Amino acid sequence: MQFGKHVHSMEHDEWLESGADGSFALGCVDRKLRRKYHGLLTVREPGHGDAWNVLAEVSEVVRQGDFHARLNDPRETHRDGDAELVSFTPFPHAAHTYRIEARAELAPAVTITRRVRLDAHGQVELRYSVRGVQAPLQLSLAPLLRCRTLHDLTFENPFLDGALMQVESDDALEVCMQPYPGMPTLAFRLELPANASVQLERAGRWWTDLHYAWEAERGYPADEHAFEPGQFVVSLQGDAELTLMVGLDPLRPEPAPHERAPQGLAEQLSRASEQFFMRTRAGTSTLIAGFPWFGPWGRDALLALPGFYLASGDFERTAAVLDGLLAARIEGLVPNIPALGDLPANTSSIDASLLFVRAVQWLGTQAGADRVERFMPAVCELLSAIADARDPRMRFDDRLGIWMERGPWALTWMDALIDGQPVTPRAGYAVEIDALAYNAAHFALAWAERRRGSFARAFRHRVRGAEADFLRRYWDDARGYLADGHDGSRPDWALRPNQLFALGLPYRPVPAHLGRSALATVTRELLTPAGLRTLARSHPDYRGQYRGTQDDRDRAYHQGTVWPWLLGVYADAVLAHHDAKMCAAQFEHVFTYFREHLPRAACLGQISEVFDGDAPHAPGGAPAQAWSVAELFRVLHSLELATAQRVAS
């Protein structure tokens, strides 16, 4: 990606690198720190619930005689460095190339490229390529440390121990430090070529004027300090390659694998999907819901899992995510957010358990029923836990409707709260919850009739008349679409995309002619190139822009904001009621939109959590969201497969 005169149009875009253990690096193209989450290393350390933001940036200065040039100043309120950023490439790893213009001392011009890579051990590798060196010069590398939990800020304090201890090494300069008691030891390793030498200059100073403009816009504290323990001053006699590694002690250097930039939409989505996979140091496999501020979430992982399986083709890894969620159950149910370190679980979710059933069902159709057989007892147990009201906030009625009690919680995916109260109240019955329950019960019963008689006896009576019960609750001929919910007295006729689950699941309670009517309404009122609106524009509560303070954004979160992940259930509904040719036509403008978006906008190579309901649908929320990527990949794969089958026949 060459900038030239277009550098200013790209400077606010972001890039993401992630490691197999969930560690990540995130930054802007111009390397300004605009979020408190921007940084070169955030690790997920066992024993601590929140991730640990370690390394904000590395300040680089080139010196030769009396001349010096700073490559970049990460402080958003300061001018750029003296070097010109001439190119940025996000793939296969984030790479910035700077040019220091030719001067009497530096002729011809020197170019320096920095590549960022995270490996499997929670450590970041910064590889510098220096070209055009005609006379000896120095390159100083100064790490800027935060050493705090993910969401907090840090400030100059007397408790941080900045002492650097040198470690014996034959082939590199290695130093370590333990910034705070009880926190992990940090390690730094600098590898040099034969034509270079290094001197460690201890500093121990604070940078006290970091300002995060995007945090201020979001209504959060936006000023922070960072600690510089010292500088690695590298003396170069000619062109050179050098590598600075930063991570938890001990560092484990490993060769970089051969990688290439992804080609085409499918490859880009496949690469993006892989960035969310996480294997903890304890050996548990899961998916990160989104970067930078989400962790392993149950609901998000289960919605993303089908697309992740297609993208990776790795059944064992996919099954391991299901195993991890089963191990995290509370009162027999899958939590919305499993407990992590010292952070307790969030159990405010009825759909996570039902989505677990859907994930097993879907995986069985792709990998074979025999491969998911071991999950079927758990499928029955999850439904039995709901029937037994293990969580008193939710329970089955006499059939397959699930009643949710009113209270200071939100149990569906529309879960924004302000002052402890849901922004989108959905107590009583919710259409997608009942559709998921209908599908789950029929799927489980088909298996249990042959293998688990106790479950079959308990659920046979529930499925009788369940279709009629569902339609009485949600359908209206005059409107021609499904209500979003029912409070026990009256339905909620807000037009939302949640009804798509009732139209596209394998077992569905809506006849085809009614489903086509509802689908046409959803298509006309909610479909956009970036996903589906969460509320029709004609509704008085519609909010077309997702921005402002936390409360402003929460009021818009599910009140018109577009969510890309809904494209997956939308495609399921279209394929259930029409053919693949029509579905492909519906998605032509969607794929065109994301072919442009993925490599050129927002977080490069990723898909944002949400987009504005109003055109031009500006991206917002987390800049990289697992279910956004995975569900679009699932749609693309399904349509390519259907097209291939049609051509073959």
Side-chain angles (χ1 to χ4, degrees):
M1 184 178 297
Q2 300 295 322
F3 286 128
K5 65 180 180 180
H6 302 297
V7 63
H8 296 298
S9 67
M10 303 296 296
E11 62 186 10
H12 289 73
D13 290 328
E14 294 175 275
W15 54 268
L16 170 70
E17 295 284 332
S18 66
D21 64 345
S23 300
F24 69 92
L26 178 73
C28 283
V29 166
D30 66 358
R31 293 179 59 192
K32 298 296 186 184
L33 299 174
R34 294 186 173 89
R35 300 187 194 271
K36 62 184 176 183
Y37 305 101
H38 282 157
L40 293 177
L41 182 61
T42 297
V43 299
R44 300 185 193 272
E45 169 64 13
H48 299 277
D50 271 339
W52 194 40
N53 190 298
V54 178
L55 179 64
E57 250 294 355
V58 171
S59 173
E60 305 111 348
V61 177
V62 173
R63 292 185 175 87
Q64 189 175 57
D66 294 333
F67 168 79
H68 75 276
R70 184 184 298 275
L71 296 195
N72 178 69
D73 194 316
R75 294 169 288 194
E76 203 272 338
T77 55
H78 286 59
R79 67 179 178 84
D80 289 336
D82 304 294
E84 179 189 5
L85 176 63
V86 293
S87 73
F88 173 75
T89 305
F91 312 119
H93 299 289
H96 295 79
T97 296
Y98 294 90
R99 175 186 175 89
I100 302 173
E101 292 296 336
R103 313 214 177 167
E105 302 91 343
L106 291 170
V110 170
T111 62
I112 299 177
T113 297
R114 188 188 79 172
R115 294 176 176 84
V116 181
R117 184 179 75 91
L118 267 73
D119 64 16
H121 307 300
Q123 53 197 29
V124 64
E125 176 187 281
L126 306 176
R127 183 178 295 273
Y128 293 87
S129 297
V130 186
R131 295 289 180 266
V133 179
Q134 298 295 311
L137 63 80
Q138 288 184 337
L139 174 62
S140 297
L141 308 177
L144 305 180
L145 305 177
R146 290 192 179 110
C147 299
R148 43 87 165 163
T149 51
L150 180 63
H151 304 293
D152 298 317
L153 296 173
T154 192
F155 299 94
E156 182 174 357
N157 66 84
F159 306 106
L160 187 145
D161 184 351
L164 294 172
M165 297 164 283
Q166 192 159 340
V167 179
E168 290 296 327
S169 176
D170 295 332
D171 57 351
L173 172 62
E174 290 193 37
V175 296
C176 65
M177 61 181 286
Q178 186 169 20
Y180 296 105
M183 298 299 286
T185 300
L186 289 183
F188 306 85
R189 176 184 172 90
L190 184 64
E191 298 178 350
L192 299 171
N195 66 340
S197 61
V198 62
Q199 180 179 356
L200 176 63
E201 294 184 357
R202 292 170 169 82
R205 70 184 182 100
W206 288 86
W207 292 43
T208 58
D209 52 355
L210 299 182
H211 177 76
Y212 308 131
W214 293 354
E215 301 303 326
E217 292 172 6
R218 285 156 43 88
Y220 295 131
D223 296 292
E224 185 174 36
H225 301 167
F227 181 74
E228 178 194 331
Q231 298 184 25
F232 299 95
V233 181
V234 180
S235 298
L236 301 174
Q237 304 301 316
D239 291 357
E241 300 270 343
L242 53 139
T243 301
L244 175 64
M245 295 178 60
V246 183
L248 305 186
D249 187 42
L251 291 174
R252 288 174 283 183
E254 61 180 31
H258 176 72
E259 298 173 273
R260 64 180 180 85
Q263 306 295 315
L265 184 59
E267 277 196 18
Q268 291 178 61
L269 291 170
S270 180
R271 176 192 181 274
S273 295
E274 190 67 21
Q275 288 192 293
F276 298 99
F277 180 79
M278 172 183 172
R279 187 171 180 83
T280 69
R281 291 177 176 86
T284 303
S285 295
T286 188
L287 295 176
I288 299 296
F291 293 101
W293 48 72
F294 294 119
W297 284 24
R299 176 192 292 129
D300 297 62
L302 290 164
L303 279 167
L305 204 58
F308 173 79
Y309 169 69
L310 288 175
S312 67
D314 190 333
F315 174 80
E316 295 306 324
R317 234 175 18 165
T318 306
V321 175
L322 296 177
D323 286 331
L325 290 170
L326 284 180
R329 281 179 293 176
I330 297 175
E331 296 297 338
L333 299 172
V334 176
N336 181 35
I337 307 176
L340 183 64
D342 53 5
L343 293 180
N346 177 321
T347 59
S348 291
S349 172
I350 178 57
D351 47 3
S353 295
L354 300 172
L355 288 167
F356 184 97
V357 179
R358 173 180 176 260
V360 171
Q361 178 186 27
W362 187 93
L363 196 58
T365 64
Q366 301 295 313
D370 58 321
R371 302 194 79 180
V372 299
E373 177 74 18
R374 64 188 179 93
F375 293 113
M376 292 308 298
V379 163
C380 295
E381 291 162 11
L382 289 168
L383 292 171
S384 296
I386 299 172
D388 295 341
R390 304 269 188 88
D391 185 327
R393 297 173 295 176
M394 57 191 86
R395 65 181 185 277
F396 275 116
D397 61 15
D398 291 341
R399 289 194 175 87
L400 294 178
I402 294 182
W403 177 264
M404 295 177 289
E405 296 290 344
R406 181 172 283 102
W409 48 70
L411 301 178
T412 75
W413 80 278
M414 292 187 164
D415 56 359
L417 299 170
I418 295 180
D419 297 329
Q421 296 301 314
V423 177
T424 312
R426 306 189 74 217
Y429 297 99
V431 65
E432 83 278 13
I433 302 302
D434 284 0
L436 284 163
Y438 180 95
N439 174 73
H442 281 80
F443 171 63
L445 193 58
W447 177 85
E449 289 287 8
R450 304 186 304 276
R451 297 174 179 83
R452 183 161 289 203
S454 59
F455 179 88
R457 288 189 294 273
F459 270 78
R460 280 190 201 113
H461 75 280
R462 293 186 180 277
V463 302
R464 298 191 190 105
E467 296 92 337
D469 189 57
F470 185 93
L471 292 174
R472 279 194 300 270
R473 186 175 297 135
Y474 296 110
W475 183 257
D476 178 66
D477 284 331
R479 289 179 172 83
Y481 64 87
L482 294 165
D484 190 63
H486 200 292
D487 66 3
S489 300
R490 63 182 64 86
D492 174 9
W493 292 109
L495 179 58
R496 297 185 183 276
N498 299 310
Q499 61 191 289
L500 290 168
F501 282 94
L503 310 180
L505 287 166
Y507 295 97
R508 41 191 180 270
V510 180
H513 67 290
L514 301 184
R516 284 190 289 271
S517 172
L519 182 58
T521 304
V522 169
T523 301
R524 183 178 65 251
E525 301 294 335
L526 303 182
L527 182 64
T528 78
L532 282 93
R533 296 184 182 93
T534 42
L535 185 64
R537 288 172 291 180
S538 58
H539 196 282
D541 292 338
Y542 173 80
R543 289 178 176 248
Q545 294 184 333
Y546 180 81
R547 62 193 61 173
T549 66
Q550 181 71 60
D551 283 359
D552 292 333
R553 286 176 284 117
D554 281 343
R555 289 189 177 95
Y557 212 29
H558 305 107
Q559 300 290 78
T561 296
V562 167
W563 292 72
W565 78 263
L566 291 164
L567 291 166
V569 291
Y570 175 77
D572 292 339
V574 175
L575 289 171
H577 292 85
H578 302 286
D579 59 16
K581 184 176 181 181
M582 179 174 177
C583 189
Q586 292 278 23
F587 272 84
E588 183 176 352
H589 68 307
V590 172
F591 293 145
T592 298
Y593 180 88
F594 282 108
R595 285 190 186 98
E596 289 294 313
H597 175 83
L598 268 159
R600 297 183 177 89
C603 187
L604 305 176
Q606 277 291 344
I607 300 179
S608 300
E609 179 187 13
V610 296
F611 292 76
D612 282 352
D614 292 343
H617 309 297
Q625 193 78 1
W627 59 13
S628 298
V629 172
E631 281 293 82
L632 187 63
F633 186 90
R634 185 170 70 87
V635 174
L636 182 65
H637 181 273
S638 298
L639 289 179
E640 288 179 345
L641 181 62
T643 300
Q645 291 173 341
R646 187 173 70 248
V647 170
S649 62

